[in-house]
Amino acid sequence: MPVVREEKPIVTVFGASGFLGRHVVRALAKRGWRIRAACRRPDLAAYLQPLGGLGQIMPMQANLRYRASVDRAVSGSDAVVNLVGILAPAGRQTYAAVQAFGARAVAEAAAAAGISRLVHVSAIGADAASGSAYARTKAAGEAAVFDVIPDAVVMRPSVIFGPEDQFINRFGELSMMSPVLPLIGGGLTRLQPVFVGDVAEAIARAVDGEIAGGRIYELGGPEVLTFRAILERLLAETGRRRRLLTIPFGLASLLARLTAWMPGAPLTPDQVELLKAGSVVSAPAAGEGRTLEAFGIPPTSLGAMLPEYAVRFRPHGQYDRDNATA
């Protein structure tokens, strides 16, 4: 008798080549999904393929600003994940184009293809009335997703940390070059850092249909920390002494406007607005169980993971005397 091969389900992951994307791809691959790693530059996503079996992960070109490419990416899929977001606009990659128009394009393409399982990643602080364009367009993206697919799963993570993040690593690198680290607004902004592996696992479980759709889940770690406390932990872990310099929000906004034109500007006016608001799981989400607890995932603390990837910021890296083992 001929051998009948069971076809594994296909999931299209938009933004698969990014920081969160690589961890989502790994989590989905472990669960047996065949993955279309959809991104603007598929040549930069080839590194994802060893995360799965032979032929399990396939990079594919797609740009959320071009609907035809989105339709092609979701055609024949069983589920869709949208991770695409930007921290700062660049050229035609504006907040509105990527986080609002793009979110609707993905949802409409999925609906047109008969796909009802959509996981959309937003951010804590998404608010249509926010002074931040980032937060407003995140909210617009959520509304668009639910308008098209009411049973979609929307996730709002807090600041995500992990080995390849642009949060801890950015300040770790700065601590190696500068005797001063900036504290915007005095470092009083409250954050609830969440581990990238926990967020990726939550997304994978949502794709598997393990939680209820039509809801917004807020993902935060086990601790609420001020920005100052996080930098102090980083400095303690790396054994560096650096002055923490308070920069009032008003001055930070002015400096951000003056340097916003620079490629790779360290801070934008919009990011200053986000720092004013903070990023902490809301009381309603916690009270209604719309957190990592809904996924059965014990949150990983910053302290548990920081030693593993902050070691390179120590004066002598992994060979630092304090890290030596007998």
Side-chain angles (χ1 to χ4, degrees):
M1 295 181 63
V3 176
V4 177
R5 298 182 182 276
E6 181 183 354
E7 289 291 333
K8 297 293 185 180
I10 298 173
V11 57
T12 298
V13 180
F14 291 95
S17 63
F19 163 48
L20 175 58
R22 73 184 69 193
H23 293 272
V24 170
V25 167
R26 180 186 291 113
L28 290 168
K30 287 181 178 179
R31 290 169 172 262
W33 286 85
R34 288 184 292 159
I35 301 157
R36 291 179 182 165
C39 47
R40 288 191 299 156
R41 291 281 305 277
D43 56 305
L44 300 181
Y47 77 92
L48 296 171
Q49 291 177 302
L51 299 178
L54 184 63
Q56 186 180 7
I57 301 167
M58 180 60 64
M60 172 177 273
Q61 198 283 328
N63 187 325
L64 301 195
R65 292 187 291 108
Y66 298 99
R67 176 61 186 272
S69 72
V70 178
D71 289 339
R72 183 175 62 249
V74 305
S75 178
S77 291
D78 300 282
V80 174
V81 177
N82 182 18
L83 307 175
V84 180
I86 55 174
L87 289 176
R92 288 180 292 178
Q93 295 293 105
T94 65
Y95 289 129
V98 174
Q99 298 181 167
F101 176 87
R104 179 173 288 278
V106 170
E108 289 181 346
I115 303 167
S116 59
R117 190 165 298 179
L118 170 63
V119 180
H120 176 79
V121 176
S122 181
I124 286 180
D127 182 357
S130 173
S132 160
Y134 173 90
R136 291 196 304 273
T137 52
K138 281 291 189 182
E142 293 178 358
V145 165
F146 283 131
D147 181 50
V148 178
I149 301 181
D151 288 332
V153 173
V154 170
M155 297 192 187
R156 292 178 176 177
S158 182
V159 176
I160 302 176
F161 69 90
E164 310 89 2
D165 68 38
Q166 291 298 311
F167 176 49
I168 296 295
N169 284 307
R170 172 176 292 187
F171 287 96
E173 290 168 357
L174 184 60
S175 73
M176 297 170 68
M177 301 180 291
S178 172
V180 176
L181 295 182
L183 284 178
I184 309 300
L188 300 179
T189 299
R190 297 169 70 246
L191 305 171
Q192 197 168 349
V194 61
F195 179 51
V196 64
D198 294 342
V199 177
E201 179 62 21
I203 292 169
R205 294 185 187 188
V207 171
D208 271 352
E210 296 181 14
I211 61 164
R215 309 183 79 191
I216 296 175
Y217 297 86
E218 298 187 9
L219 311 183
E223 299 175 285
V224 175
L225 302 168
T226 64
F227 186 62
R228 173 186 285 273
I230 292 172
L231 290 189
E232 289 174 342
R233 285 196 182 186
L234 173 62
L235 293 175
E237 184 61 42
T238 58
R240 293 185 181 273
R241 294 183 180 180
R242 296 292 183 262
R243 182 184 176 192
L244 300 179
L245 179 64
T246 293
I247 301 177
F249 282 121
L251 178 57
S253 296
L254 175 61
L255 294 174
R257 284 195 294 272
L258 292 175
T259 60
W261 60 272
M262 299 171 57
L267 188 68
T268 68
D270 202 82
Q271 289 168 351
V272 175
E273 286 297 318
L274 287 173
L275 283 171
K276 292 178 182 178
S279 183
V280 176
V281 170
S282 68
E288 296 166 12
R290 294 184 286 108
T291 63
L292 280 174
E293 293 180 357
F295 301 84
I297 300 173
T300 304
S301 70
L302 178 64
M305 300 304 300
L306 196 58
E308 294 190 15
Y309 71 101
V311 65
R312 68 188 183 94
F313 303 123
R314 297 184 70 89
H316 302 288
Q318 69 186 82
Y319 302 105
D320 193 287
R321 228 174 12 180
D322 292 342
N323 290 327
T325 56

